[in-house]
Amino acid sequence: MKKLFFDLDHTLWDYETNAGVTLLDMYRAFELDRFFSDEAHFTQIFKQQNDQLWHRYNVGEIDKFEIRNHRFGYIMNAVKNTDLILSQKLSNQFIIECPRKKVLMPNARKVLDRLSKDFELGIITNGFDDTQNVKLKYSEIDHYFKWVVTSESSGHRKPAKEIFDFTLDYCGGILGDMVIIGDNLQTDILGADHAGWRSVWYNPQKESTASSQWQVHDLIELPALFL
């Protein structure tokens, strides 16, 4: 039986929407209009800094502590604010509130419901144990997954072959039956290719920079690949 592993953020859980709502609430609660020209300015700087930090984490340059404890320090430094207490409050608020948001990518729940009837499903993510489990619980999709593998629990980060090997052993799978569905070409697709897994590139933006063994623009297309 094929074992289908999903990336979580940007593939099933709508990170952009959920983070955006959280940031808007924080902007108002902490009166951040004192430092930013408007809400869009705050969100833009968050995205720039957050994307850079996660890229550095994925390639092994920094650890979890750097993201969690310094992300909002970098954001506030961008507008010449060096209030470390405020930055830490923002960090704590984001870590608590963002994972509790419930918005999923289009058709995610419908597809999970369909695929779970015929396949064993899992999660493989570079996110952290505590936040990823909260996301699964609050978005009410945790019951679909038999296995949840994180960079923390495995000791490795996608695209490293080791996290895919760990997952293969953990679920007792056969290499030819292992499939990952993810949005990131570098961490999900190329990582899977190097580990001998099959991969499905979730490409909702319809980018044309590369190809995968399989590609979908909407999650609703997934059942047709396997059923």
Side-chain angles (χ1 to χ4, degrees):
M1 175 185 289
K2 279 188 170 57
K3 301 183 190 305
L4 309 183
F5 278 80
F6 287 83
D7 173 55
L8 184 55
D9 294 341
H10 307 285
T11 299
L12 293 175
W13 194 78
D14 190 341
Y15 187 95
E16 298 299 331
T17 297
N18 291 319
V21 171
T22 305
L23 293 170
L24 178 58
D25 291 343
M26 290 168 55
Y27 184 87
R28 295 169 178 171
F30 289 91
E31 299 179 342
L32 296 181
D33 55 349
R34 295 173 291 162
F35 312 109
F36 299 89
S37 57
D38 55 25
E39 296 156 356
H41 183 209
F42 176 50
T43 301
Q44 177 188 22
I45 293 178
F46 171 87
K47 180 171 174 53
Q48 291 171 348
Q49 296 294 335
N50 193 56
D51 287 353
Q52 290 174 14
L53 287 169
W54 275 105
H55 172 73
R56 293 178 63 197
Y57 177 81
N58 289 337
V59 300
E61 291 182 0
I62 61 174
D63 58 14
K64 170 183 177 179
F65 179 87
E66 180 76 12
I67 294 177
R68 287 201 162 176
N69 290 278
H70 297 300
R71 172 169 45 193
F72 281 92
Y74 296 138
I75 292 167
M76 297 308 295
N77 281 338
V79 290
K80 312 301 183 185
N81 181 278
T82 57
D83 185 343
L84 296 180
I85 294 176
L86 174 59
S87 295
Q88 192 59 54
K89 287 180 178 179
L90 292 171
S91 178
N92 293 342
Q93 185 76 2
F94 187 81
I95 291 168
I96 291 170
E97 294 300 329
C98 189
R100 298 181 180 183
K101 299 297 185 284
K102 303 178 180 181
V103 179
L104 299 175
M105 299 301 289
N107 294 310
R109 193 180 307 278
K110 183 185 298 184
V111 167
L112 291 174
D113 193 56
R114 180 65 187 90
L115 292 176
S116 64
K117 292 178 171 61
D118 294 281
F119 303 100
E120 294 177 313
L121 307 183
I123 292 288
I124 180 169
T125 170
N126 278 359
F128 309 128
D129 289 346
D130 50 359
T131 53
Q132 300 305 73
N133 285 322
V134 170
K135 290 172 186 176
L136 292 169
K137 176 182 177 181
Y138 274 78
S139 59
E140 299 179 340
I141 59 173
D142 53 331
H143 62 284
Y144 288 114
F145 302 105
K146 187 172 182 179
W147 309 281
V148 176
V149 176
T150 70
S151 56
E152 285 187 300
S153 65
S154 68
H156 303 282
R157 307 166 189 177
K158 296 179 293 181
K161 181 176 181 292
E162 288 83 357
I163 191 171
F164 293 95
D165 292 343
F166 173 92
T167 304
L168 178 66
D169 291 339
Y170 180 53
C171 72
I174 299 171
L175 190 57
D177 289 339
M178 305 298 288
V179 181
I180 184 173
I181 300 100
D183 71 292
N184 190 303
L185 276 174
Q186 295 298 320
T187 57
D188 298 322
I189 306 308
L190 294 181
D193 291 348
H194 292 155
W197 287 39
R198 303 199 74 174
S199 61
V200 181
W201 182 27
Y202 174 48
N203 179 21
Q205 304 303 321
K206 300 184 179 180
E207 300 173 18
S208 58
T209 55
S211 62
S212 175
Q213 293 167 336
W214 289 318
Q215 181 178 156
V216 297
H217 302 309
D218 189 315
L219 294 175
I220 202 68
E221 301 169 48
L222 284 174
L225 296 179
F226 304 116
L227 297 173

